[in-house]
Coordinates of all heavy atoms in Angstrom, one line a residue:
G77 N -36.4 -22.9 42.9 CA -35.6 -24.1 43.1 C -36.6 -25.3 43.5 O -37.7 -25.1 44.0
E78 N -36.0 -26.5 43.2 CA -36.8 -27.7 43.4 C -37.0 -27.9 44.9 O -36.0 -27.6 45.6 CB -36.3 -28.9 42.7 CG -36.4 -28.7 41.1 CD -37.8 -28.7 40.6 OE1 -38.7 -29.3 41.2 OE2 -38.0 -28.0 39.5
K79 N -38.0 -28.7 45.3 CA -38.2 -28.9 46.7 C -37.6 -30.2 47.3 O -37.2 -30.2 48.5 CB -39.7 -28.8 47.1 CG -40.2 -27.4 46.9 CD -41.7 -27.4 47.2 CE -42.1 -25.9 47.3 NZ -43.0 -25.4 46.3
L80 N -37.6 -31.3 46.4 CA -37.0 -32.5 46.9 C -35.4 -32.3 47.2 O -34.9 -31.7 46.3 CB -37.2 -33.6 45.9 CG -38.7 -34.1 45.7 CD1 -38.7 -35.1 44.6 CD2 -39.3 -34.6 46.9
A81 N -35.0 -33.0 48.2 CA -33.6 -32.8 48.5 C -32.6 -33.3 47.3 O -31.7 -32.7 47.1 CB -33.2 -33.6 49.7
E82 N -33.1 -34.3 46.7 CA -32.3 -34.8 45.4 C -32.3 -33.8 44.3 O -31.4 -34.1 43.5 CB -32.8 -36.1 45.0 CG -32.8 -37.2 46.0 CD -34.0 -37.3 47.0 OE1 -34.8 -36.3 47.0 OE2 -34.1 -38.2 48.0
E83 N -33.3 -32.9 44.3 CA -33.3 -31.9 43.2 C -33.1 -30.5 43.6 O -33.2 -29.6 42.7 CB -34.8 -32.1 42.6 CG -35.0 -33.4 42.0 CD -36.4 -33.5 41.5 OE1 -37.4 -33.0 42.0 OE2 -36.6 -34.3 40.5
A84 N -32.8 -30.3 44.8 CA -32.6 -28.9 45.4 C -31.5 -28.1 44.7 O -31.6 -27.0 44.9 CB -32.4 -29.0 46.9
H85 N -30.6 -28.7 44.0 CA -29.5 -28.1 43.4 C -29.9 -27.4 42.0 O -29.2 -26.9 41.2 CB -28.3 -29.1 43.0 CG -28.8 -30.1 42.1 ND1 -29.6 -31.2 42.5 CD2 -28.4 -30.4 40.9 CE1 -29.8 -32.0 41.4 NE2 -29.1 -31.4 40.4
T86 N -31.1 -27.7 41.6 CA -31.7 -27.2 40.4 C -33.0 -26.5 40.6 O -33.6 -26.5 41.6 CB -31.9 -28.5 39.4 OG1 -32.2 -28.0 38.1 CG2 -33.0 -29.3 39.9
G87 N -33.4 -25.7 39.4 CA -34.5 -25.0 39.5 C -34.9 -24.3 38.1 O -34.0 -24.5 37.2
T88 N -35.9 -23.7 38.0 CA -36.3 -23.1 36.7 C -36.6 -21.6 36.9 O -37.1 -21.1 37.9 CB -37.7 -23.8 36.3 OG1 -37.5 -25.2 36.2 CG2 -38.2 -23.3 34.9
F89 N -36.2 -20.8 36.0 CA -36.5 -19.4 35.8 C -37.5 -19.0 34.8 O -37.7 -19.5 33.7 CB -35.2 -18.5 35.9 CG -34.5 -18.3 34.5 CD1 -35.0 -17.4 33.6 CD2 -33.4 -19.1 34.2 CE1 -34.3 -17.3 32.5 CE2 -32.7 -19.0 33.0 CZ -33.2 -18.0 32.0
G90 N -38.1 -17.9 35.1 CA -38.8 -17.2 34.2 C -38.4 -15.7 34.2 O -38.0 -15.1 35.3
I91 N -38.5 -15.0 33.2 CA -37.8 -13.5 33.0 C -38.9 -12.7 32.2 O -39.6 -13.2 31.2 CB -36.4 -13.7 32.4 CG1 -35.8 -12.2 32.5 CG2 -36.4 -14.2 31.0 CD1 -34.3 -12.3 32.0
S92 N -38.9 -11.5 32.6 CA -39.6 -10.5 31.8 C -38.9 -9.1 31.9 O -38.2 -8.8 32.9 CB -41.0 -10.3 32.2 OG -41.1 -9.9 33.6
V93 N -39.1 -8.3 30.7 CA -38.5 -7.0 30.7 C -39.6 -6.1 30.1 O -40.2 -6.4 29.2 CB -37.2 -6.9 29.9 CG1 -36.7 -5.5 29.7 CG2 -36.1 -7.9 30.3
A94 N -39.8 -4.9 30.6 CA -40.8 -4.0 30.3 C -40.6 -3.6 28.8 O -39.4 -3.5 28.4 CB -40.7 -2.7 31.3
K95 N -41.6 -3.2 28.2 CA -41.6 -3.0 26.8 C -40.6 -1.9 26.4 O -39.7 -2.0 25.5 CB -43.0 -2.5 26.3 CG -43.2 -2.3 24.8 CD -44.4 -1.9 24.4 CE -44.6 -1.7 22.9 NZ -46.0 -1.5 22.6
D96 N -40.5 -0.8 27.3 CA -39.7 0.4 26.9 C -38.2 0.1 27.3 O -37.4 0.9 27.1 CB -40.2 1.6 27.5 CG -40.3 1.6 29.0 OD1 -40.0 0.5 29.7 OD2 -40.4 2.7 29.7
A97 N -37.9 -1.1 27.9 CA -36.5 -1.4 28.3 C -35.9 -2.6 27.5 O -34.8 -2.9 27.7 CB -36.6 -1.7 29.8
R98 N -36.7 -3.1 26.7 CA -36.2 -4.4 25.9 C -35.1 -3.8 25.0 O -35.1 -2.7 24.5 CB -37.5 -5.0 25.2 CG -38.4 -5.7 26.1 CD -39.5 -6.3 25.4 NE -40.5 -6.7 26.4 CZ -41.9 -6.3 26.2 NH1 -42.3 -5.9 25.0 NH2 -42.6 -6.6 27.2
G99 N -34.2 -4.8 24.8 CA -33.1 -4.6 23.9 C -32.1 -3.7 24.4 O -31.0 -3.3 23.7
S100 N -32.1 -3.5 25.8 CA -31.1 -2.5 26.4 C -30.1 -3.3 27.2 O -29.3 -2.6 27.9 CB -31.8 -1.5 27.2 OG -32.5 -2.1 28.4
G101 N -30.2 -4.6 27.2 CA -29.3 -5.5 28.1 C -29.8 -5.8 29.5 O -29.1 -6.5 30.2
I102 N -31.1 -5.4 29.7 CA -31.5 -5.7 31.0 C -31.8 -7.2 31.3 O -31.5 -7.8 32.2 CB -32.8 -4.9 31.3 CG1 -32.4 -3.4 31.5 CG2 -33.6 -5.5 32.6 CD1 -33.5 -2.5 31.7
G103 N -32.2 -7.9 30.1 CA -32.4 -9.3 30.4 C -31.1 -10.1 30.4 O -31.2 -11.0 31.4
T104 N -30.2 -9.6 29.7 CA -28.7 -10.3 30.0 C -28.3 -10.0 31.3 O -27.7 -10.9 32.1 CB -27.8 -9.7 28.9 OG1 -28.4 -10.0 27.6 CG2 -26.4 -10.2 29.1
A105 N -28.5 -8.8 31.9 CA -28.0 -8.4 33.2 C -28.7 -9.2 34.2 O -28.1 -9.8 35.2 CB -28.2 -7.0 33.5
L106 N -30.1 -9.5 34.1 CA -30.8 -10.2 35.1 C -30.4 -11.7 35.0 O -30.1 -12.3 36.2 CB -32.2 -10.2 34.8 CG -33.1 -8.9 35.2 CD1 -34.3 -8.8 34.5 CD2 -33.2 -8.9 36.7
I107 N -30.2 -12.2 33.9 CA -29.7 -13.6 33.9 C -28.3 -13.7 34.5 O -27.9 -14.5 35.2 CB -29.7 -14.2 32.4 CG1 -31.1 -14.2 32.0 CG2 -28.9 -15.5 32.3 CD1 -31.3 -14.5 30.5
G108 N -27.5 -12.8 34.2 CA -26.1 -12.7 34.8 C -26.2 -12.6 36.4 O -25.4 -13.3 37.1
A109 N -27.1 -11.7 36.9 CA -27.2 -11.7 38.3 C -27.7 -13.1 38.9 O -27.2 -13.4 40.0 CB -28.1 -10.6 38.7
L110 N -28.5 -13.7 38.2 CA -29.0 -15.1 38.7 C -27.8 -16.0 38.7 O -27.6 -16.8 39.7 CB -30.1 -15.6 37.6 CG -30.6 -17.0 38.1 CD1 -31.3 -17.0 39.6 CD2 -31.6 -17.5 37.0
M111 N -26.9 -16.0 37.6 CA -25.8 -16.8 37.5 C -24.9 -16.5 38.7 O -24.2 -17.5 39.2 CB -25.0 -16.6 36.2 CG -25.9 -17.1 35.1 SD -26.3 -18.8 35.1 CE -27.7 -18.8 34.2
A112 N -24.8 -15.4 39.2 CA -23.9 -14.9 40.3 C -24.5 -15.5 41.6 O -23.8 -16.0 42.5 CB -23.6 -13.4 40.3
W113 N -25.9 -15.3 41.8 CA -26.6 -15.8 43.0 C -26.6 -17.3 43.1 O -26.4 -17.7 44.3 CB -28.1 -15.1 42.8 CG -28.9 -15.6 43.9 CD1 -29.1 -15.0 45.1 CD2 -29.7 -16.9 43.9 NE1 -30.0 -15.7 45.9 CE2 -30.4 -16.9 45.2 CE3 -29.9 -17.9 43.1 CZ2 -31.2 -17.9 45.5 CZ3 -30.9 -18.9 43.5 CH2 -31.4 -18.9 44.6
A114 N -26.7 -18.1 42.1 CA -27.0 -19.5 42.1 C -25.9 -20.3 42.9 O -26.3 -21.1 43.8 CB -27.1 -20.0 40.6
P115 N -24.5 -20.2 42.6 CA -23.7 -20.9 43.2 C -23.7 -20.7 44.7 O -23.2 -21.6 45.6 CB -22.4 -20.7 42.6 CG -22.6 -19.8 41.5 CD -24.0 -19.3 41.6
L116 N -23.9 -19.4 45.2 CA -24.0 -19.0 46.6 C -25.1 -19.7 47.3 O -25.1 -19.8 48.5 CB -24.1 -17.5 46.8 CG -23.0 -16.8 46.0 CD1 -23.3 -15.3 46.2 CD2 -21.6 -17.0 46.6
H117 N -26.1 -20.4 46.6 CA -27.2 -21.0 47.2 C -27.4 -22.4 46.9 O -28.4 -23.1 46.9 CB -28.5 -20.2 46.8 CG -28.5 -18.9 47.4 ND1 -27.8 -17.8 46.9 CD2 -29.0 -18.4 48.5 CE1 -28.0 -16.7 47.5 NE2 -28.7 -17.1 48.7
G118 N -26.1 -23.1 46.4 CA -26.1 -24.4 46.1 C -26.7 -24.9 44.8 O -26.9 -26.1 44.7
I119 N -26.9 -24.0 44.0 CA -27.5 -24.2 42.6 C -26.5 -24.6 41.6 O -25.5 -23.8 41.4 CB -28.4 -23.0 42.1 CG1 -29.4 -22.6 43.1 CG2 -29.1 -23.4 40.8 CD1 -30.5 -23.8 43.6
T120 N -26.6 -25.7 40.9 CA -25.5 -26.2 39.9 C -26.2 -26.4 38.5 O -25.5 -26.6 37.6 CB -24.8 -27.3 40.4 OG1 -25.7 -28.5 40.5 CG2 -24.1 -27.1 41.6
R121 N -27.6 -26.2 38.5 CA -28.3 -26.5 37.3 C -29.3 -25.4 37.2 O -30.3 -25.3 38.1 CB -28.8 -27.9 37.1 CG -29.7 -28.1 35.9 CD -30.4 -29.4 35.9 NE -31.4 -29.5 35.0 CZ -31.3 -29.8 33.7 NH1 -30.1 -30.1 33.2 NH2 -32.2 -29.8 32.8
I122 N -29.4 -24.7 36.1 CA -30.5 -23.6 35.9 C -31.2 -24.1 34.5 O -30.5 -24.3 33.6 CB -30.0 -22.3 35.8 CG1 -29.3 -22.0 37.2 CG2 -31.0 -21.2 35.5 CD1 -28.7 -20.6 37.3
Q123 N -32.5 -24.1 34.6 CA -33.3 -24.4 33.4 C -34.3 -23.4 33.2 O -34.8 -22.7 34.1 CB -33.8 -25.9 33.4 CG -34.9 -26.1 34.5 CD -35.1 -27.6 34.8 OE1 -34.4 -28.4 34.5 NE2 -36.4 -27.8 35.1
L124 N -34.9 -23.5 32.0 CA -36.1 -22.6 31.6 C -36.8 -23.3 30.5 O -36.4 -24.1 29.8 CB -35.5 -21.2 31.1 CG -34.8 -21.2 29.9 CD1 -35.5 -20.4 28.8 CD2 -33.3 -20.7 30.1
L125 N -38.0 -22.7 30.4 CA -38.8 -23.2 29.3 C -39.1 -22.0 28.3 O -39.4 -20.9 28.8 CB -40.2 -23.7 29.8 CG -40.1 -24.8 30.7 CD1 -41.5 -25.2 31.3 CD2 -39.7 -26.2 30.0
A126 N -38.8 -22.2 27.0 CA -39.1 -21.2 26.1 C -40.0 -21.4 24.9 O -39.8 -22.5 24.4 CB -37.7 -20.7 25.5
W127 N -41.0 -20.6 24.7 CA -41.9 -20.9 23.6 C -41.2 -20.6 22.4 O -40.5 -19.6 22.1 CB -43.2 -19.9 23.7 CG -44.0 -20.2 25.0 CD1 -43.7 -20.8 26.1 CD2 -45.3 -19.7 25.0 NE1 -44.8 -20.7 26.9 CE2 -45.8 -20.0 26.3 CE3 -46.2 -18.8 24.2 CZ2 -47.0 -19.7 26.7 CZ3 -47.4 -18.6 24.8 CH2 -47.9 -18.9 25.9
T128 N -41.4 -21.6 21.4 CA -40.8 -21.4 20.1 C -41.2 -20.3 19.2 O -40.5 -20.0 18.4 CB -40.9 -22.7 19.3 OG1 -42.2 -23.1 19.2 CG2 -40.2 -24.0 20.0
N129 N -42.2 -19.6 19.6 CA -42.7 -18.5 18.8 C -42.1 -17.2 19.3 O -42.5 -16.2 18.9 CB -44.3 -18.4 18.8 CG -44.8 -17.9 20.2 OD1 -44.1 -18.3 21.2 ND2 -46.1 -17.6 20.2
N130 N -41.0 -17.4 20.2 CA -40.1 -16.3 20.7 C -38.9 -16.5 20.4 O -38.0 -16.7 21.3 CB -40.5 -16.0 22.2 CG -39.9 -14.8 22.7 OD1 -39.2 -14.0 22.0 ND2 -40.2 -14.5 24.0
P131 N -38.4 -16.4 19.1 CA -37.0 -16.8 18.7 C -35.9 -15.8 19.3 O -34.8 -16.2 19.6 CB -37.0 -16.8 17.2 CG -38.2 -16.0 16.9 CD -39.1 -16.1 18.0
G132 N -36.3 -14.6 19.6 CA -35.4 -13.6 20.2 C -34.9 -14.2 21.6 O -33.7 -14.0 21.8
S133 N -35.8 -14.5 22.4 CA -35.4 -14.9 23.7 C -34.6 -16.3 23.6 O -33.6 -16.4 24.4 CB -36.6 -15.1 24.6 OG -37.4 -16.2 24.1
I134 N -34.9 -17.1 22.7 CA -34.2 -18.4 22.6 C -32.7 -18.0 22.2 O -31.7 -18.7 22.6 CB -34.8 -19.3 21.6 CG1 -36.2 -19.7 22.1 CG2 -33.9 -20.5 21.3 CD1 -37.1 -20.5 21.1

Side-chain angles (χ1 to χ4, degrees):
E78 294 296 331
K79 292 183 170 114
L80 292 177
E82 298 85 355
E83 298 174 326
H85 66 286
T86 190
T88 304
F89 79 82
I91 186 171
S92 64
V93 176
K95 184 176 186 175
D96 65 346
R98 291 183 196 133
S100 66
I102 290 173
T104 300
L106 282 164
I107 294 171
L110 177 62
M111 294 300 151
W113 174 92
L116 303 175
H117 293 85
I119 303 300
T120 60
R121 175 189 163 85
I122 296 177
Q123 63 188 30
L124 67 119
L125 298 172
W127 293 20
T128 56
N129 67 339
N130 190 350
S133 69
I134 295 167

